[in-house]
Amino acid sequence: NPCVCYNSPFPPPWQGAPRTTSSPMRALITGGAGFVGSHLADALLAAGHDVLVLDDLSTGAIENIAHLRGTRGFSYRIGSVTDEPLLAEMIDDADVVYHLAAAVGVKKIVEEPVNTIECNVHGTEVVLRHANKKKRPVLIASTSEVYGKSADVPFREDADLVLGASTRHRWAYACSKLIDEFLALAYWKERKLPVVIVRLFNTVGPRQTGRYGMVIPNFVRQALEGAPITVFGDGTQSRSFTYVGDVVRALVALVQHPGAVGEVYNVGNGQEVTIRALAEQVKAMTGSSSPIVTIPYDQAYEAGFEDMPRRVPDLAKIRAPIGYQPTVDLEGILTRVIASMSTARAGAR
């Protein structure tokens, strides 16, 4: 499957991930067949660790980990984090838990608010409860969405959070992930369960699908097909995009740093771009003749949909413990995504 190979001039996203000087560990990755989770599995295996993956394939894909079958130290189970006997067994077998399983993507969140809240909140509660029984360290993947409509940009981890009204389903995801954060920090404070929380800012790279509204893979697919490049809203909203390899290196390093326990960290890239400019850059880099069209939010999602005007991280906090610095800029990200999706399209013909 071309989606799980790297027949490209670029190194794999995980290349350069820090090798631990401690003993090899067994890492459980919930959501490990997803976009970020599968790259994390690659990195940990490359660093000499064992990896257990648990995924219900609701948004992940078996193709993302197919290349790992038969790899020494790798195993996976198809199932949900809410399957408590299965989860308890896998946590027992692990030394650390990377909890990445979640409902993701704006489209899915708007269309399935009940599943979003139940999956994110209950799933995290089950993971923390069973991890606490064995005192297994847990990294919780949260999101930049928790900053909501705050205008205090760049976003700092200790800043106030400004969410929209509960009648706007768009904020269900942010609220559910914020509850995850509060619960994880409560487990650390009250029960001394080692937890680390990361707020991810628009992670992008090979294997990411645009099926649930992710903007870059959607733009690239549309450009390669010669279809209209659809910008939701007026295109003045801005984002910062982070290469998956940079994210993975941060996740590995934070889990290995004792000072990260009980803390919340932004993981992102400070390079900001408007969505309209992003569409124009994708069109230029693909040599596409696609027109760029704007679609009002109420047509793209639902009536009354609200969006964040800007989403840019302050990275000062994460630099201190692990020296985090993004290594791939937006042009590099787009070059890699275009190459990956072009290869996949050629292989599908």
Side-chain angles (χ1 to χ4, degrees), residues 218-228 286 288-290 341 345 349:
N218 271 333
F219 281 3
V220 171
R221 175 186 57 79
Q222 290 166 341
L224 293 175
E225 293 175 352
T286 56
S288 175
S289 59
S290 296
M341 294 185 72
R345 281 172 53 80
R349 292 191 183 115

Side-chain angles (χ1 to χ4, degrees), residues 46-291:
H49 303 296
D50 291 347
V51 171
L52 316 170
V53 162
L54 175 63
D55 202 301
D56 66 2
L57 304 183
S58 59
T59 56
I62 201 68
E63 291 83 1
N64 288 341
I65 56 173
H67 63 295
L68 295 176
R69 288 174 176 165
T71 300
R72 184 174 180 178
F74 174 75
S75 62
Y76 71 95
R77 301 284 293 274
I78 305 302
S80 170
V81 292
T82 60
D83 181 343
E84 298 203 32
L86 174 59
L87 180 70
E89 175 187 340
M90 297 187 77
I91 287 177
D92 282 351
D93 289 341
D95 300 310
V96 62
V97 180
Y98 289 88
H99 180 44
L100 275 58
V104 295
V106 175
K107 186 174 187 295
K108 185 177 181 66
I109 291 157
V110 170
E111 294 176 352
E112 303 177 24
V114 172
N115 178 68
T116 295
I117 296 167
E118 289 183 345
C119 173
N120 293 348
V121 177
H122 181 54
T124 298
E125 187 275 328
V126 172
V127 168
L128 291 169
R129 177 155 43 84
H130 285 280
N132 185 61
K133 291 178 181 179
K134 301 290 183 177
K135 288 295 185 281
R136 299 292 194 257
V138 182
L139 180 139
I140 300 286
S142 186
T143 172
S144 59
E145 288 270 343
V146 300
Y147 290 103
K149 297 189 287 184
S150 172
D152 187 12
V153 178
F155 295 145
R156 298 187 326 276
E157 293 88 343
D158 61 353
D160 290 341
L161 309 176
V162 185
L163 297 185
S166 60
T167 52
R168 307 293 190 188
H169 294 313
R170 185 259 188 278
W171 303 111
Y173 176 62
C175 185
S176 67
K177 297 303 288 185
L178 190 55
I179 292 172
D180 290 350
E181 292 190 20
F182 276 119
L183 185 59
L185 293 172
Y187 264 91
W188 164 239
K189 178 179 180 180
E190 181 179 334
R191 302 179 184 178
K192 302 308 176 188
L193 174 67
V195 300
V196 180
I197 296 166
V198 292
R199 293 175 178 167
L200 305 183
F201 281 71
N202 294 87
T203 308
V204 188
R207 301 183 197 152
Q208 186 178 42
T209 174
R211 186 172 29 171
Y212 302 107
M214 284 65 173
V215 64
I216 284 182
N218 271 333
F219 281 3
V220 171
R221 175 186 57 79
Q222 290 166 341
L224 293 175
E225 293 175 352
I229 300 175
T230 52
V231 173
F232 297 164
D234 61 11
T236 61
Q237 70 274 30
S238 67
R239 298 291 184 266
S240 61
F241 296 91
T242 318
Y243 189 53
V244 66
D246 289 328
V247 170
V248 163
R249 280 185 282 274
L251 303 190
V252 173
L254 285 171
V255 163
Q256 295 174 5
H257 197 290
V261 172
E263 297 292 339
V264 179
Y265 295 96
N266 291 333
V267 181
N269 186 320
Q271 184 181 6
E272 187 176 9
V273 63
T274 67
I275 299 304
R276 175 75 193 198
L278 175 66
E280 292 171 347
Q281 188 170 355
V282 168
K283 178 176 178 176
M285 291 180 66
T286 56
S288 175
S289 59
S290 296

